[in-house]
Amino acid sequence: MAHQLQLEKEKYRQWVKAGLGLGYLKDGLVPFCNDIADQQHKDILQNIRSTKSLPSTVTCGSCQVETLKPDHKPVPGNAGKKVCRFGQAKCSCCCKGKIACPNNICGAIYDFIVQHHSSSPPAPNWKNTDAQQWSTDPWSICKCFINAPGYEQKQSASETDCTGLLHLMINNQYFHSHIGCDVTKANNFFLKVRQYRNNIFHSSNMELEESEANSHIDDMIAVLQDGKELLQQPNAQIAVKKLQDLKNKDFIITTESFEEILREIKKEMAKVLKSTESAATKEEYDDLKKKLIDLEAKMSDEKEGKLEIEKELKGLKKTMKELEFQMSRETLEKAELKKKLGVLETLVSEQKEEMAKIKTETSFSQSQADNEQTKLEWQKEMIASYCKNLLKVPAMPFTTTRSEMINFQ
């Protein structure tokens, strides 16, 4: 039983890991999608202004999709009915009472969107967009290629989830020229990953086998390593590294990561719940509601675990501050001691110099004293010799006879 519980816990961890991978995939795709969206918008406007000889500054903010008259004309169809030349069902070109763009620009943008939608027949999602922004906002055009509801308020790629970005890249033919993979073929990486997102977020038991989670992550990596342009995108390759780390058995999924993916899944389930409330059977509705309740319980468990971790972290931070204070005080004491030691060394050095000076002066004085002593002793010897020999000679000269002189000689 314990083994089974551990196994289920690991499956849940793998499910969250795959969901976290979708977040990394989105981070890697956002800059690429923003760049291509900007290029597309620039090319559309330049082509329209050039073809229609419009001023380079012309824009429009007054047209509504519901009332806009496209530039293209319908063609005869079966039973004498007119149909859209591009094959769009219920196209505005076949409806009466539509209004042409007063600035001669929005009808042409409408045509571009229909012509570049890759589905057959083309099926732009007009509910996601606002035609008043087409001439000034690149993302308002991109949202027409997201064939799923709930994106009308999204203002950029960064506000759009992974599913929306993949819809855009798969459905917009302008993007195809910047992707090496043939996204029109069945079972390509882009289509597979888009389906993984639905499988993960709509999972009935919120569990995945490790091999399945790793397979999903490998396909996400393949999308980001598409050889045409994504492989050269720095953000895409940073996301690849994060995805590769997810497959590492030692990789730690933080509490914040758990909460992040659970919040996304909760929002997705709530959206599905709202959209199916009236259409689904009571049994389906109750089942989905139960999943949402279970998810909230898991989030609560994760939050409790996070609070315990935060408590431990708080204690560690307190200990660290105490250690930092102690280290700071010891550092000050060491600095003061070092200062005193420096003063002492200076004093010792000065003392040595003074001693050397005194020694030199003493040596010189001793030499002078020795000389004086020698002179004094020599004087004493001279006086003694004088007293011994010279004081015996009479001070007055004496008289000597000639005969005495002769005898003396």
Side-chain angles (χ1 to χ4, degrees):
M1 185 65 182
H3 174 71
Q4 182 62 29
L5 289 173
Q6 181 63 34
L7 187 63
E8 290 176 359
K9 183 178 179 182
E10 179 59 25
K11 288 180 180 179
Y12 170 63
R13 182 177 182 274
Q14 295 299 324
W15 174 73
V16 175
K17 184 177 78 172
L20 189 60
L22 288 171
Y24 293 153
L25 174 62
K26 175 197 167 178
D27 292 342
L29 292 176
V30 164
F32 171 77
C33 288
N34 273 332
D35 288 346
I36 305 305
D38 289 343
Q39 291 179 37
Q40 174 182 258
H41 191 253
K42 182 179 178 181
D43 288 349
I44 292 172
L45 295 182
Q46 282 183 345
N47 182 61
I48 293 172
R49 289 164 179 164
S50 175
T51 303
K52 297 187 175 187
S53 300
L54 300 175
S56 60
T57 57
V58 66
T59 59
C60 181
S62 60
C63 293
Q64 302 284 342
V65 175
E66 296 80 9
T67 59
L68 178 64
K69 181 180 181 180
D71 275 11
H72 71 275
K73 307 295 182 183
V75 295
N78 296 330
K81 291 184 178 181
K82 292 184 178 181
V83 296
C84 174
R85 67 171 62 247
F86 301 127
Q88 181 186 198
K90 299 180 180 179
C91 181
S92 293
C93 70
C94 302
C95 302
K96 294 181 180 181
K98 299 297 179 179
I99 304 171
C101 175
N103 296 291
N104 204 19
I105 188 170
C106 294
I109 295 178
Y110 183 104
D111 285 8
F112 175 92
I113 294 170
V114 175
Q115 286 180 277
H116 286 78
H117 200 287
S118 64
S119 66
S120 183
N125 191 345
W126 302 117
K127 292 181 180 180
N128 274 339
T129 191
D130 179 3
Q132 291 179 326
Q133 300 180 38
W134 281 355
S135 63
T136 56
D137 175 35
W139 202 247
S140 64
I141 294 176
C142 288
K143 289 188 291 185
C144 298
F145 296 92
I146 302 177
N147 288 2
Y151 294 90
E152 62 274 9
Q153 300 302 321
K154 307 302 180 184
Q155 302 298 316
S156 64
S158 60
E159 293 183 16
T160 305
D161 61 19
C162 187
T163 297
L165 298 181
L166 290 169
H167 268 280
L168 170 63
M169 298 170 77
I170 292 168
N171 294 330
N172 190 335
Q173 291 179 359
Y174 187 93
F175 273 70
H176 295 180
S177 60
H178 299 272
I179 299 172
C181 173
D182 186 353
V183 297
T184 63
K185 289 186 176 180
N187 212 32
N188 67 76
F189 291 124
F190 290 79
L191 284 171
K192 286 168 67 177
V193 172
R194 189 181 69 180
Q195 186 59 44
Y196 294 157
R197 198 267 184 186
N198 295 334
N199 293 343
I200 293 167
F201 277 23
H202 300 168
S203 171
S204 60
N205 55 9
M206 293 178 281
E207 293 180 356
L208 272 181
E209 296 289 348
E210 182 179 8
S211 58
E212 189 177 6
N214 286 341
S215 177
H216 290 354
I217 291 171
D218 284 338
D219 288 341
M220 295 176 201
I221 291 172
V223 167
L224 292 170
Q225 290 188 326
D226 182 82
K228 188 93 181 236
E229 293 182 23
L230 276 166
L231 190 60
Q232 313 304 322
Q233 286 268 341
N235 290 79
Q237 299 318 304
I238 290 172
V240 167
K241 177 63 170 62
K242 291 180 178 179
L243 287 166
Q244 291 171 338
D245 288 343
L246 272 180
K247 295 177 61 180
N248 189 331
K249 289 184 179 294
D250 297 327
F251 183 81
I252 298 173
I253 299 177
T254 64
T255 304
E256 287 76 11
S257 298
F258 272 104
E259 288 191 343
E260 178 185 346
I261 190 60
L262 289 176
R263 279 195 299 270
E264 288 297 317
I265 296 172
K266 183 180 178 181
K267 285 193 293 185
E268 177 71 11
M269 285 188 172
K271 184 171 69 175
V272 174
L273 184 63
K274 184 176 180 180
S275 65
T276 59
E277 188 172 354
S278 58
T281 65
K282 186 177 185 304
E283 185 177 315
E284 292 171 331
Y285 174 80
D286 290 343
D287 180 61
L288 188 57
K289 190 170 184 178
K290 181 180 179 299
K291 291 176 186 176
L292 187 57
I293 293 171
D294 290 343
L295 180 61
E296 288 175 339
K298 285 182 180 291
M299 290 183 70
S300 178
D301 291 342
E302 293 295 338
K303 187 170 289 186
E304 288 178 6
K306 182 181 178 182
L307 289 173
E308 187 64 29
I309 293 172
E310 287 178 346
K311 184 178 178 181
E312 293 180 11
L313 285 174
K314 189 175 180 181
L316 287 173
K317 287 180 179 178
K318 182 179 178 182
T319 303
M320 285 295 293
K321 284 185 178 179
E322 291 174 353
L323 288 173
E324 287 173 358
F325 175 76
Q326 183 177 348
M327 289 173 66
S328 176
R329 186 175 59 188
E330 290 178 354
T331 301
L332 289 173
E333 290 175 352
K334 287 179 180 178
E336 187 65 25
L337 184 60
K338 188 175 181 180
K339 181 178 179 182
K340 291 178 179 179
L341 184 60
V343 172
L344 183 59
E345 288 177 345
T346 301
L347 290 173
V348 170
S349 177
E350 291 175 353
Q351 188 67 26
K352 284 182 179 180
E353 292 178 2
E354 187 67 25
M355 290 293 293
K357 183 177 179 182
I358 292 172
K359 186 176 180 180
T360 301
E361 292 177 353
T362 302
S363 176
F364 178 74
S365 299
Q366 184 63 44
S367 177
Q368 285 185 319
D370 290 344
N371 289 337
E372 291 295 327
Q373 182 65 30
T374 301
K375 286 166 64 178
L376 184 58
E377 290 177 356
W378 183 75
Q379 288 176 351
K380 285 181 179 180
E381 290 179 0
M382 288 292 293
I383 293 171
S385 176
Y386 179 82
C387 291
K388 180 179 178 181
N389 299 309
L390 296 181
L391 290 180
K392 291 180 179 181
V393 180
M396 298 297 293
F398 53 85
T399 304
T400 306
T401 60
R402 181 177 176 81
S403 57
E404 289 175 341
M405 288 291 289
I406 294 172
N407 289 334
F408 178 77
Q409 294 179 348

